């Protein structure tokens, strides 16, 4: 299993293509052509391209334009287009018009109208949900913006829950996500650039930043990396994240993934760059440092003392998660003298009947906890409580009574498990949970010596990694001018600097 | 996005110095001081500091002439290629010996005080593995790690010292001059090479963000190291008295075994990890310096690739002594005695050479331009 994993991690797809594929050269050639003035001909082409009438939701509405006395055809995909809008503001005005000298632009009462000249552009517009109007004798077509994709409305954040502060979260519609950001930053310098990042599906990516804040080099770097993708389809940001990150095999995430528009806006206002996409109820923030994974938005919404109190708790929780199990292994195997004798006797009394060495015991319990956690996540809601009962009773109570594990191990592992939930970012959460196993193993081999060795090596690693050129532990080390928002935050009136490591064009916030 | 160019700021610089030289108070260096000076040993750091001020001052003066040259380049420039090569060779040899001997001592500490049953080669191997990994990351990251942990390491040391002072007996410090004031000065001066690392700091001079930091950082670090060493020496004496302490090999580790907080009677394992982190960083830095020196001796540009080899060599040389507690102690003392004159004289020679060659005038001319 492990060998397979390693093979998968280090192999690449650079071998020559062994597949026999059918060439679609002809179709590509047709798509590259300009729009033909012969409406009949154009329609034949488009009907073939869209496999009409097999393709049920592609509609070809042919009619005669009043006044002009010309045949016209409106192509749209009915499931992603606003039919009512098309009918009322495009088809009806054209049909009822009786003025022979008029321009199409003035009759169509729609919000946005553009012209296309090539077949492929027309196809792109249709696929985007717009309707394209072809007219007899015209070598161009009109694209009417009428996209209407189905999706859910803005709802509460599910993963990054706060008690105080806004509750909205991003949804799968990029347009409404951008609207949520614009609602917070009413600035003409807020730029929403778009780029097509995949070849076949033509997924659109939105790059959001403030023009006079975001560092140009960083922006160019991101644009370059995004445009150099060579893939057929990138469905959402979670996949894009893996395409553009620098260290794909690193344990630590280097791009922040947040579903909260308030958080994304706060980052944009600090000079960071945010990526949005359709089908992603979230945003990517880059560059990211260790601290951005450690913080949550509520730290700043709560009053100074309360916010820092939760920060302190969270930092302690990270250490408990990382070290509690391994400290138990280390102490019971190597450093028994450090526990007060009474406690030592109590521990050894409970361990008396347990047949396994401490490290096996701990790994067993950690594994069980991991299973419960993963199982609880995937279980359908109606049978959810079962997991709780099975987990608590069978794996906790019964395992102790059956002398498989000692009660103190249950406490230690459960404590670590509970504490791991304080890190709300899912990537960092995984990183910490995986690192915990390294510490347990090292404690099994070398006690505290091994743990410290792993810790020091890990520290060397974590200071050396970078996210888009930004050191992971900055601004703590190496030092940059910033509001010093690291483990603890400062009073709002003292947070006057944007983070220097992002190299914003304007450093002072006041 | 401009990448930081592998340079360190003053905070990281001071943190590195404190961790490399300051950690000496936890090994058998203290015993070397106690041996002759007994309960007046706590004064010797000040004497040593006084003796090292002039060499360090001259060194800083010479180093500041050149912008982007490290110590080895400066030596080569001032002494010519032939003598320069020999001087750098001697420096490298001393550093390599210090690295081997010190790492053997630290391995000995870990294996005698904490892990009696673990094979020595495993302990040694892990120590060097982690240090080599750290060194391979480069000076910038050694500095970053040093800075991010120094607060906690010093906090743990402070806690240990406070507990020691609380449980110690102040009268053990008297008679105040121990074997006599002259004895203190004489014996301390022979061991001035305790601060010899300051000489080697010239090697990382080009890696400093701001050249003024070199001067400032060095003096601040020297002051901190001297005070903390002195306080620790006093604390150990107050706990064990001058007779008891001479029977020990590693007073710091005996101390943290001896002290207790409330219901916790054995708290050495609380201090052990902090001390270990400091040691890892210390050897990472030593390894890095050794590699730089070796690189400049034989003009190897990518000296980082030497690190695994040097680390392996150190492990195999370091485990040779059969009875490390005594053999290494003797070796270490001799090394200190040998290094002292070099540490004191070399900066003088450098300064004199620079003066004779008129390098200072060039600098002034440059400054006035």
């Amino acid at each position: 299993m492990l060998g397979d994993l390693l093979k998968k991690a280090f192999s690449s797809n650079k071998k020559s293509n062994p597949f026999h594929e059918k060439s679609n050269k002809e179709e590509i050639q047709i798509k590259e052509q300009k729009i033909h003035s012969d409406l009949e001909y154009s329609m034949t082409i488009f009907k073939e391209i869209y496999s009409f009438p097999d393709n049920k939701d592609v509609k070809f509405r042919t009619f005669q334009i009043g006044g002009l006395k010309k045949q016209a055809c409106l192509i749209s995909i009915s499931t992603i287009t606003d039919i009512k809008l098309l009918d009322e503001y495009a088809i009806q005005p054209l049909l009822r018009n009786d003025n022979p000298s008029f321009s199409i632009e003035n009759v169509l009462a729609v919000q946005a109208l553009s012209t296309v000249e090539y077949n492929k552009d027309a196809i792109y517009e249709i696929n985007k949900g717009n309707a394209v109007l072809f007219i007899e004798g015209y070598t161009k077509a009109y694209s009417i913006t009428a996209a209407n994709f189905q999706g859910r409305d803005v709802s509460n954040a599910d993963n990054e829950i706060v008690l105080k502060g806004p509750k909205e979260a991003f949804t799968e519609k990029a347009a409404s996500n951008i609207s949520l950001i614009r609602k917070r930053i009413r600035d003409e310098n807020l730029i929403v650039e778009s780029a097509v990042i995949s070849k076949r599906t033509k997924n659109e990516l939105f790059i959001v930043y403030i023009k006079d804040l975001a560092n140009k080099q960083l922006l160019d770097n991101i644009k370059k990396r995004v445009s150099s993708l060579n893939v057929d389809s990138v469905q959402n940001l979670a996949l894009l994240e893996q395409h553009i990150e620098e260290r794909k095999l690193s344990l630590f995430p280097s791009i922040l993934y947040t579903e909260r528009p308030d958080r994304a806006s706060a980052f944009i206002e600090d000079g960071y760059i945010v990526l949005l996409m359709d089908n992603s109820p979230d945003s990517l923030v880059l560059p990211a440092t260790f601290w951005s994974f450690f913080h949550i938005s509520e730290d700043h919404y709560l009053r100074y003392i309360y916010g820092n109190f939760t920060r302190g708790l969270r930092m302690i929780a990270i250490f408990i998660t990382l070290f509690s199990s391994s400290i138990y292994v280390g102490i019971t195997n190597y450093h028994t003298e450090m526990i007060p004798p009474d406690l030592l006797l109590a521990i050894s009394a409970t361990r008396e009947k347990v047949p396994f060495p401490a490290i096996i015991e701990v790994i067993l319990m950690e594994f069980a906890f991991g299973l419960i956690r993963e199982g609880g996540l995937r279980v359908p809601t109606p049978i959810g409580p079962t997991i709780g009962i099975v987990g608590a009773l069978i794996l906790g109570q019964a395992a102790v009574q059956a002398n498989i594990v000692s009660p103190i191990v249950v406490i230690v592992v459960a404590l670590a498990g509970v504490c791991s939930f304080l890190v709300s970012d899912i990537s960092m959460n995984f990183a910490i949970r995986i690192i915990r196993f390294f510490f347990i193993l090292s404690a099994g081999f070398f006690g505290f010596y091994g743990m410290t060795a792993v810790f020091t090596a890990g520290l060397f690693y974590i200071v050396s990694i970078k996210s888009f050129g930004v050191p992971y532990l900055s601004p703590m080390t190496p030092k940059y001018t910033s509001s010093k928002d690291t483990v603890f935050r400062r009073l709002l009136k003292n947070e006057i600097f944007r983070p220097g490591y992002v190299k914003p064009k304007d450093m002072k916030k006041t | 996005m401009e990448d930081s160019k592998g340079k360190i700021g003053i905070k990281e610089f001071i943190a590195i110095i404190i961790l490399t030289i300051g950690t000496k108070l936890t090994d058998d260096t203290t015993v070397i001081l106690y041996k002759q000076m007994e309960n007046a040993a706590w004064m010797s750091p000040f004497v040593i500091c006084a003796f090292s001020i002039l060499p360090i001052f001259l060194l800083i003066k010479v180093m500041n002439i050149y912008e982007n040259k490290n110590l080895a380049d400066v030596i080569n420039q001032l002494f010519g290629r032939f003598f320069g090569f020999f001087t750098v060779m001697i420096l490298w040899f001393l550093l390599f010996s210090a690295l081997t001997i010190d790492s053997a001592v630290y391995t000995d500490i870990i294996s005698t005080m904490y892990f009696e049953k673990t094979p020595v080669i495993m302990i040694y191997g892990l120590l060097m593995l982690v240090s080599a990994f750290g060194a391979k990351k480069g000076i910038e990251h050694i500095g970053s790690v040093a800075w991010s942990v120094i607060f906690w390491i010093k906090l743990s040391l402070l806690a240990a010292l406070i507990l020691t002072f609380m449980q110690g007996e102040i009268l053990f410090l008297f008679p105040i001059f121990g074997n006599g004031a002259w004895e203190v000065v004489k014996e301390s001066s022979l061991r001035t090479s305790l601060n010899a690392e300051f000489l080697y700091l010239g090697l990382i001079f080009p890696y400093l963000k701001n050249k003024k930091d070199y001067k400032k950082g060095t003096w601040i670090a020297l002051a901190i190291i001297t005070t903390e060493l002195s306080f620790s020496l006093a604390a150990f004496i107050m706990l064990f008295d001058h007779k008891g302490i001479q029977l020990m090999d590693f007073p710091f580790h005996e101390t943290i075994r001896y002290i207790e907080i409330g219901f916790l009677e054995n708290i050495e394992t609380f201090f052990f990890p902090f001390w270990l982190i400091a040691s890892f960083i210390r050897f990472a830095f030593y390894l890095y310096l050794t590699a730089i020196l070796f690189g400049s001796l034989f003009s190897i540009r990518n000296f980082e690739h030497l690190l695994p080899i040097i680390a392996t060599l150190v492990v195999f040389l370091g485990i040779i002594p059969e009875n490390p507690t005594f053999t290494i102690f003797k070796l270490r003392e001799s090394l200190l005695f040998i290094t002292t004159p070099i540490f004191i004289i070399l900066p003088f020679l450098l300064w004199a050479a620079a003066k004779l060659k008129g390098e200072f005038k060039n600098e002034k001319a440059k400054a006035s331009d």
Side-chain angles (χ1 to χ4, degrees), chain B residues 161-275:
Chain B
L161 287 184
I162 289 174
L163 287 170
T164 317
F165 277 121
M166 275 162 53
Q167 288 167 34
E169 173 60 64
I170 193 123
L171 288 176
F172 285 165
L173 285 178
F174 296 98
I176 195 97
F177 282 115
N179 289 339
W182 173 242
E183 197 73 9
V184 172
V185 175
K186 192 183 82 184
E187 294 296 334
S188 309
S189 65
L190 288 175
R191 293 165 178 80
T192 307
S193 59
L194 219 66
N195 283 340
E197 275 84 354
F198 278 104
L199 183 64
Y200 290 96
L201 284 177
L203 287 171
I204 58 166
F205 180 71
Y207 299 113
L208 282 166
K209 264 184 205 151
N210 188 345
K211 303 300 167 208
K212 277 184 190 150
D213 289 349
Y214 178 64
K215 192 171 165 187
K216 212 165 127 194
T218 308
W219 293 128
I220 294 175
L222 182 65
I224 296 176
I225 291 164
T226 307
T227 350
E228 76 175 353
L229 184 57
S230 170
F231 270 99
S232 320
L233 286 167
F236 302 154
I237 278 284
M238 281 167 64
L239 199 62
F240 296 116
D241 200 5
H242 71 105
K243 274 288 166 232
I245 210 144
Q246 288 187 353
L247 301 173
M248 292 172 185
D249 288 308
F250 313 115
F252 174 76
H253 297 274
E254 299 287 353
T255 304
I256 57 178
R257 289 203 154 198
Y258 198 84
I259 52 179
E260 51 189 64
I261 324 172
F263 69 99
L264 289 172
E265 285 168 9
N266 292 299
I267 49 172
E268 75 267 20
T269 328
F270 287 114
F271 299 109
F272 177 60
F274 294 101
W275 171 77

Side-chain angles (χ1 to χ4, degrees), chain B residues 36-81:
Chain B
Q36 301 296 330
M37 287 171 272
E38 307 201 330
N39 57 355
W42 63 272
M43 290 180 205
S44 70
F46 293 108
V47 180
I48 291 176
C49 173
F51 273 103
S52 30
I53 282 178
L54 197 59
I56 294 174
F57 175 76
L58 291 176
L59 185 70
I60 292 173
K61 239 178 139 50
V62 174
M63 290 307 297
N64 269 328
I65 306 174
Y66 307 99
E67 271 287 298
N68 282 315
K69 286 194 172 169
N70 70 23
L71 182 69
D73 301 336
V74 172
I75 289 176
N76 277 326
Q77 165 111 9
L78 289 175
F79 288 178
R81 268 177 65 191

Side-chain angles (χ1 to χ4, degrees), chain B residues 33 126-127 197-198 200 245 332 346 349:
Chain B
L33 295 175
L126 187 62
L127 179 69
E197 275 84 354
F198 278 104
Y200 290 96
I245 210 144
R332 191 141 195 270
L346 185 65
L349 291 178

Side-chain angles (χ1 to χ4, degrees), chain A residues 217 334-335 337-338 340 446 448-449 452-453 455-457 459-460 463-464 468-469 476-477 479 501-503, chain B residues 1-3 11-12 110 115 123 127 130 133-134 137 141-142 144-145 148-149 266 268-269 273 276-277 280:
Chain A
Q217 265 173 301
Y334 295 93
H335 312 281
E337 77 286 347
M338 75 178 285
F446 283 103
F448 278 22
Y449 180 44
T452 320
F455 179 76
T456 317
L459 204 59
F460 269 114
V463 297
S464 70
F468 292 86
M476 190 175 84
T477 174
K479 187 181 168 287
Y501 46 85
V502 192
K503 310 229 166 29
Chain B
M1 203 87 232
E2 77 183 75
D3 287 329
K11 287 197 295 192
E12 283 88 3
I110 298 170
F115 291 88
I123 294 177
L127 179 69
V130 174
F133 176 75
K137 292 278 172 195
H141 301 128
I142 298 176
S144 284
V145 170
S148 51
V149 293
N266 292 299
E268 75 267 20
T269 328
L276 265 179
I277 296 175
F280 283 129

Side-chain angles (χ1 to χ4, degrees), chain A residues 240-465:
Chain A
L240 181 71
E241 179 188 354
Q242 299 174 51
H243 278 299
I244 60 173
E245 66 186 347
E246 280 159 53
R247 293 168 181 248
K248 295 185 168 57
L249 291 179
S250 171
L251 258 183
F252 295 97
S254 61
I255 300 174
L256 179 68
Y257 181 90
T258 177
E259 59 167 0
R260 298 186 59 86
D262 51 327
R263 207 158 175 228
S265 316
F267 275 114
I268 293 173
E269 281 173 335
D270 273 350
Y272 290 79
I273 290 165
V274 166
L275 304 183
L276 293 171
M277 237 175 115
D278 263 320
N279 309 318
S280 312
D282 40 55
S283 60
L284 291 183
V285 179
L286 20 121
T289 62
F290 173 79
W291 309 110
S292 47
F293 296 101
F294 172 69
H295 297 159
I296 62 170
S297 50
E298 201 173 20
D299 297 341
H300 271 86
Y301 298 147
L302 291 173
R303 292 184 57 239
Y304 173 72
I305 293 176
Y306 314 154
N308 278 336
F309 178 70
T310 57
R311 287 262 181 101
L313 276 184
R314 204 174 309 137
M315 202 70 214
I316 293 169
I318 288 181
F319 277 91
I320 292 177
T321 313
L322 284 177
F323 294 119
S324 67
S325 309
S326 45
I327 285 179
Y328 174 78
V329 173
I331 286 181
T332 47
N333 282 335
Y334 295 93
H335 312 281
T336 36
E337 77 286 347
M338 75 178 285
I339 328 175
D342 295 345
L343 182 59
L344 186 64
L345 287 176
I347 293 177
S348 59
T350 57
R351 271 190 51 76
E352 209 171 28
K353 288 182 194 162
V354 179
F356 304 114
I359 180 165
I360 300 286
E361 208 185 337
V362 166
I363 288 181
L364 211 66
M365 212 53 211
E366 288 280 356
F367 186 60
F369 188 81
L371 289 180
I372 297 174
R373 188 177 168 138
E374 203 54 28
L377 198 63
R378 312 283 166 220
V379 75
T381 329
I383 35 173
T386 331
I387 282 284
I389 296 166
V390 171
L393 281 186
I394 297 180
L395 291 169
Q397 190 85 357
V400 170
Q401 280 176 1
N403 290 326
I404 304 291
V405 292
S406 60
I408 193 141
V409 169
V410 178
I411 299 176
V412 166
V413 173
L415 186 70
V418 169
C419 286
S420 74
F421 289 110
L422 265 77
V423 182
S424 69
D425 184 87
I426 182 156
S427 306
M428 192 46 89
N429 195 304
F430 267 112
I432 288 173
R433 277 165 56 202
I434 293 169
I435 295 167
R436 191 165 59 177
F437 283 98
F438 287 119
F439 280 118
I440 294 173
L441 287 179
S442 62
F445 282 112
F446 283 103
F448 278 22
Y449 180 44
M451 281 165 62
T452 320
V454 171
F455 179 76
T456 317
L459 204 59
F460 269 114
Y461 176 69
I462 205 172
V463 297
S464 70
I465 54 180

Side-chain angles (χ1 to χ4, degrees), chain A residues 140-173:
Chain A
K140 61 181 180 184
Y142 294 92
S143 160
I144 302 162
T145 306
N148 181 26
F149 288 93
Q150 297 306 314
R152 65 189 170 110
D153 295 330
V154 174
S155 57
N156 285 3
D158 288 330
N159 304 328
E160 294 168 64
I161 298 160
V162 298
L163 294 176
K164 193 176 176 186
K167 305 278 188 290
E168 295 172 324
F170 285 133
T171 66
E172 283 81 356
K173 274 191 205 169

